[in-house]
Amino acid sequence: MPTESATYLHRIDPARNMARFYKLSVGRSLFGDIAVVREWGRIGTIGRMRIDLFANENEALVALDAIERAKTRRGYREIGGAVCDGCGVDPTSQEKRRAATDCSVAGPSYGARA
């Protein structure tokens, strides 16, 4: 299986006071199953997480694509290389969220509050 990569989506609507993130990734669980990891919440918070297990990589990738399409239909957009220039989000809270949701930083106690 290739190295884990993540898709970061956001939905921002200042008129509705909405600033949400959604992160999708595929990786292996401790027991060798393929896991689709979904993380979501308000930008600047740790948010919530759900892990769905699959028997093989193809099933997981199909599920990941379906979730991404559904979120895109609901108004989420992919965050490119630059962090959302000019979209009205405080870059410091964006960086805090990224640090809080980065598996390589948080390690096994992923999502724990500091």
Side-chain angles (χ1 to χ4, degrees), residues 20-98:
R20 300 178 183 170
F21 73 90
Y22 209 91
K23 177 183 170 186
L24 294 165
S25 60
V26 175
R28 289 207 178 268
S29 72
L30 290 174
F31 302 106
D33 295 322
I34 306 298
V36 172
V37 180
R38 303 189 237 183
E39 301 168 61
W40 70 92
R42 185 168 175 83
I43 294 175
T45 66
I46 293 173
R48 301 178 65 114
M49 179 171 53
R50 175 178 170 171
I51 300 172
D52 297 315
L53 300 177
F54 294 90
N56 62 54
E57 187 177 353
N58 290 336
E59 290 178 13
L61 292 175
V62 167
L64 183 102
D65 288 340
I67 295 165
E68 188 173 351
R69 279 193 313 273
K71 292 299 167 185
T72 302
R73 280 194 305 268
R74 292 190 58 94
Y76 283 82
R77 299 292 170 243
E78 190 165 356
I79 297 175
V83 177
C84 189
D85 292 331
C87 66
V89 177
D90 178 19
T92 55
S93 53
Q94 183 75 16
E95 289 301 318
K96 287 179 192 173
R97 183 192 62 77
R98 183 176 296 133

